[in-house]
Amino acid sequence: MDVSDNYNKYRDLFIGVDNRVQLASGNMAIPIGFDNGATTPSFKSSYRALSRGLATYGAVARGTGQKSEITTQKYEEARQIILDFFNVGNDPRYTVVFGKTTTECMNLLANVLVKNKDDKILTTRMEHHANDLPWRYSATVEYVDVDKMGRISLDSIEKNLKENNGNIKYVTITGASNVTGYINKIHEIAKICHKYNAKIIVDGAQLVAHKEINMKGNNNGEEIDFLVFSAHKTYAPYGTGVIVGLKESLCNLTPFLKGGACVKAVTDYDVIWDAPPALHEAGSPNSLGAIATGRALQQLKQIGFDNIYEHEMMLKEFIIAEMKKIDRVILYGDNEHIDDRLGIIVFNIDGEDFKKIGKRYADEMAIALRTGKFCSHPYVNRLMGISDEIACETAYNNKPADGMIRASLGLYNTMEEARAFIAYTKYLVSTL
Ligand SMILES: Cc1ncc(COP(=O)(O)O)c(C=O)c1O
């Protein structure tokens, strides 16, 4: 593959990626953005869609003015673009609910899909807190554990569903881990869930920008019932979170957020709720964020997921192979069989403080990484062999916490950046 081709073709689609930042020395450098698991820069096209939206900006579904009508139409078009993107555009069973982030959307689902604390939910020990804590507070949660390498096995999911005798209402699982990048087989898991009468919710925060998701699956029973993601991780950082899900399950219930725009009628003592999606979008929506999100997804499709995957996998394979050769680098997860991993690499330098190391990457080379436990403490604790007792004792006594360093790749990253990252890692280790 011609790497320089890729460099030009994709990088130019993004805003700000070549804007210099100041190093600790005072010199200026073009940053290396390896923190895409946290958030991504904007596509130029999604920003342009937002700008165009500003020119005709008005109130959604309320005003009688022309701008209000145009904005409402664009907002509804964004819903359709998103449904189409996940291949459920022609399926009236699905709807799109706009929110703020994956976190907010998961809290919404945990509040509306669960009737009471006796409802049983199955999740995993691989999850981001956004797909764990909301359920802990609304339902009875069971967990499927990860294996030694940090993967989830389908057998363990099935075993749990079987043991629960059809009493698990929802299985909520990440599409891909924000720590190891492992991609879960969501359609095979969906099939197992449906066999035991459970519905599946997929946390797509890490997956959506990197791999095509066809919510229908390829065979009957493989459908994804709910998918949640954040637009700021899909190159549209304008404050939008999305739920794509089954309308029927979102009907006839009390919404998480209550207020205007989600009701048909309110009397002194009664409320007659509207139908979804309006039911779950109380208040004035972030229409511009929704429009930009739709445009970002269209852009991803135009680039093509085969191209995206190929480019990011090439960078991942290079970085993992080179990191393995560097003395004192500890890599977490399975670094031998890496086909089922997104471009996320987690590591430490033996005996060194992860925070100080992360800061040196930024200070000396403008390499943006993430350090810590990535809001996935139970999972990181398992990968690092940290017991709950130690984790709690450390937190209670305000001792320095354990953690890792994460490099997470995006479409605009280049082989040149990957090489610079490896060269600097070698240099850094040599100075310790
Ligand atoms: C897998 C996963 N789920 C959920 C979230 C939460 O996303 P947000 O901060 O946009 O709510 C993240 C963020 O890193 C994530 O990686």
Side-chain angles (χ1 to χ4, degrees):
M1 160 177 295
D2 186 342
V3 172
S4 56
D5 257 354
N6 267 320
Y7 175 91
N8 294 327
K9 213 159 49 187
Y10 303 134
R11 195 164 173 101
D12 197 40
L13 298 172
F14 296 88
I15 299 175
V17 291
D18 287 317
N19 285 6
R20 289 171 195 274
V21 296
Q22 192 169 30
L23 299 171
S25 65
N27 292 336
M28 302 299 282
I30 295 175
I32 295 180
F34 277 4
D35 194 15
N36 298 288
T39 201
T40 54
S42 180
F43 272 135
K44 287 177 181 167
S45 54
S46 53
Y47 177 69
R48 278 196 299 266
L50 182 137
S51 294
R52 277 196 301 273
L54 274 175
T56 51
Y57 180 68
V60 168
R62 285 171 213 180
T64 53
Q66 284 80 351
K67 287 190 173 179
S68 172
E69 272 180 28
I70 294 168
T71 302
T72 304
Q73 190 189 338
K74 286 187 172 194
Y75 183 62
E76 291 308 322
E77 275 169 14
R79 239 190 263 285
Q80 189 59 43
I81 290 169
I82 292 169
L83 289 167
D84 290 341
F85 180 82
F86 295 110
N87 194 33
V88 288
N90 295 324
D91 189 334
R93 291 176 306 161
Y94 286 88
T95 190
V96 161
V97 173
F98 286 114
K100 200 171 64 170
T101 52
T102 301
T103 303
E104 189 190 80
C105 292
M106 279 296 179
N107 273 276
L108 187 159
L109 290 181
N111 274 272
V112 303
L113 296 179
V114 172
K115 296 277 171 284
N116 60 56
K117 196 78 178 94
D118 294 332
D119 278 2
K120 272 192 168 178
I121 302 295
L122 180 63
T123 187
T124 82
R125 293 297 186 192
M126 187 189 266
E127 304 307 313
H128 187 282
H129 300 333
N131 192 27
D132 176 359
L133 303 189
W135 304 104
R136 287 194 197 189
Y137 287 86
S138 69
T140 300
V141 187
E142 301 235 344
Y143 293 88
V144 169
D145 217 323
V146 295
D147 65 17
K148 267 208 320 269
M149 286 296 177
R151 287 192 177 90
I152 298 289
S153 84
L154 301 194
D155 287 348
S156 53
I157 294 176
E158 176 144 22
K159 186 164 170 275
N160 192 297
L161 286 167
K162 201 184 236 168
E163 282 169 5
N164 272 288
N165 246 335
N167 285 323
I168 298 283
K169 268 183 97 171
Y170 290 95
V171 175
T172 184
I173 183 165
T174 193
S177 162
N178 59 312
V179 179
T180 48
Y182 288 136
I183 302 164
N184 286 317
K185 294 179 176 154
I186 51 175
H187 293 292
E188 290 180 43
I189 296 169
K191 199 160 192 174
I192 297 170
C193 294
H194 296 147
K195 188 167 146 193
Y196 294 92
N197 257 335
K199 290 198 167 66
I200 181 168
I201 300 164
V202 172
D203 172 352
Q206 292 298 327
L207 196 56
V208 169
H210 306 283
K211 213 163 183 295
E212 184 159 21
I213 302 176
N214 166 8
M215 284 184 72
K216 284 256 163 94
N218 290 323
N219 298 298
N220 265 350
E222 288 184 351
E223 302 85 2
I224 304 302
D225 301 307
F226 295 89
L227 177 75
V228 178
F229 70 96
S230 296
H232 73 92
K233 295 183 200 285
T234 67
Y235 310 114
Y238 304 105
T240 294
V242 179
I243 300 170
V244 187
L246 292 176
K247 222 183 273 175
E248 199 186 11
S249 307
L250 295 168
C251 278
N252 299 324
L253 36 81
T254 308
F256 175 48
L257 292 175
K258 300 156 193 78
C262 59
V263 291
K264 280 189 190 155
V266 179
T267 65
D268 285 4
Y269 302 106
D270 277 319
V271 180
I272 302 168
W273 298 110
D274 208 338
L279 176 62
H280 301 289
E281 294 182 355
S284 301
N286 171 9
S287 55
L288 296 175
I291 292 164
T293 304
R295 184 64 195 103
L297 297 190
Q298 283 178 326
Q299 175 81 79
L300 284 169
K301 225 164 211 168
Q302 279 159 5
I303 295 165
F305 275 97
D306 287 349
N307 294 327
I308 294 170
Y309 199 67
E310 188 183 6
H311 179 71
E312 293 176 357
M313 292 309 101
M314 173 186 65
L315 300 179
K316 171 196 76 177
E317 280 163 23
F318 171 78
I319 291 175
I320 289 180
E322 291 300 313
M323 290 292 270
K324 274 157 84 172
K325 296 182 201 160
I326 304 175
D327 203 28
R328 291 181 63 189
V329 166
I330 301 168
L331 288 168
Y332 297 97
D334 187 347
N335 293 284
E336 299 307 317
H337 307 98
I338 59 173
D339 285 355
D340 65 343
R341 293 182 64 177
L342 290 180
I344 298 183
I345 298 105
V346 269
F347 65 101
N348 260 315
I349 296 179
D350 198 11
E352 301 296 330
D353 179 73
F354 64 94
K355 280 192 191 148
K356 285 192 190 143
I357 297 292
K359 190 162 174 346
R360 280 195 61 186
Y361 276 98
D363 283 353
E364 295 174 20
M365 275 294 283
I367 298 176
L369 303 167
R370 166 103 187 255
T371 58
K373 293 188 182 171
F374 322 118
C375 304
S376 302
H377 292 205
Y379 189 39
V380 170
N381 287 343
R382 279 167 171 74
L383 293 167
M384 295 187 73
I386 298 164
S387 67
D388 278 3
E389 290 70 33
I390 296 285
C392 288
E393 206 249 335
T394 306
Y396 280 130
N397 296 308
N398 291 320
K399 290 185 184 169
D402 299 292
M404 302 174 171
I405 306 165
R406 179 182 76 182
S408 51
L409 308 173
L411 180 60
Y412 63 95
N413 291 134
T414 67
M415 200 57 162
E416 210 177 318
E417 291 178 321
R419 287 201 192 96
F421 171 72
I422 293 298
Y424 177 74
T425 305
K426 285 181 188 163
Y427 162 77
L428 190 152
V429 171
S430 77
T431 64
L432 296 170

